[in-house]
Amino acid sequence: MKYHSRETLHAVADVHADVHRPVMKRDERLARWAQLLEQDPDRFLATLAETEYEPESRRNCMRNDGSPITIAFEDSVLRTEGLKDDTYGEAKRFFDLTDWQLHRVVCSCHSGAMVRSGKAAEYVRDIAKPHPGLFAMLWNALLILR
């Protein structure tokens, strides 16, 4: 391999010093998380205990080794996209989730101390699906009753 100075490369190539690659969209990040969880669907993952009862400051710091969030954090692609750690608060921020959405994936009240990875993937995929808003549901109800 031969070394070339930047000036020499500029003469023969179009060099861009600051290249930004597109950032994954929310649905792409969620799909990636679900795929990671589906790689070993029978693996048991640790849940977080009763997240809904913790104050927000404590809930945001909650984590557990081997949780569904840990699976996401172990992925170099998601870390490159900006996932900083495997805490509840970071997962909520990175995946753009509400407390109730993340609660469904990681809280112990749904499946006990452990959740099957495949089940967690189902929860993540369900969150990623577009759901109709209140107005659309009311409109559909009116059309059915017609």
Side-chain angles (χ1 to χ4, degrees):
M1 186 161 151
K2 186 175 176 185
Y3 174 80
H4 294 283
S5 70
R6 183 177 296 192
E7 292 75 28
T8 305
L9 290 175
H10 275 291
V12 295
D14 204 14
V15 178
H16 301 280
D18 189 14
V19 177
H20 295 284
R21 63 181 191 78
V23 178
M24 291 172 86
K25 294 180 177 130
R26 177 185 185 263
D27 60 334
E28 293 170 325
R29 293 189 308 263
L30 288 169
R32 174 108 183 146
W33 189 15
Q35 289 170 350
L36 293 167
L37 291 166
E38 290 167 338
Q39 286 178 352
D40 187 1
D42 293 321
R43 178 180 176 185
F44 282 96
L45 303 172
T47 59
L48 304 178
E50 301 180 338
T51 62
E52 70 273 26
Y53 296 115
E54 296 295 335
E56 185 176 5
S57 60
R58 176 148 161 60
R59 184 173 50 241
N60 285 339
C61 296
M62 291 176 78
R63 65 167 304 280
N64 207 342
D65 290 335
S67 74
I69 303 169
T70 303
I71 300 301
F73 183 63
E74 289 173 347
D75 181 53
S76 62
V77 171
L78 293 179
R79 284 195 318 273
T80 300
E81 288 293 320
L83 184 60
K84 296 175 185 151
D85 58 41
D86 65 346
T87 61
Y88 180 99
E90 179 58 11
K92 182 180 166 185
R93 179 203 66 82
F94 180 74
F95 291 108
D96 192 22
L97 301 173
T98 66
D99 281 308
W100 287 111
Q101 289 172 325
L102 188 53
H103 169 264
R104 177 104 192 258
V105 179
V106 301
C107 190
S108 63
C109 70
H110 293 286
S111 47
M114 305 293 269
V115 63
R116 273 186 45 260
S117 188
K119 192 61 167 173
E122 286 177 30
Y123 293 148
V124 171
R125 289 211 184 274
D126 186 52
I127 290 166
K129 287 182 198 169
H131 294 282
L134 179 61
F135 181 75
M137 289 190 295
L138 290 173
W139 182 254
N140 287 337
L142 285 172
L143 291 176
I144 290 171
L145 296 175
R146 253 174 88 189

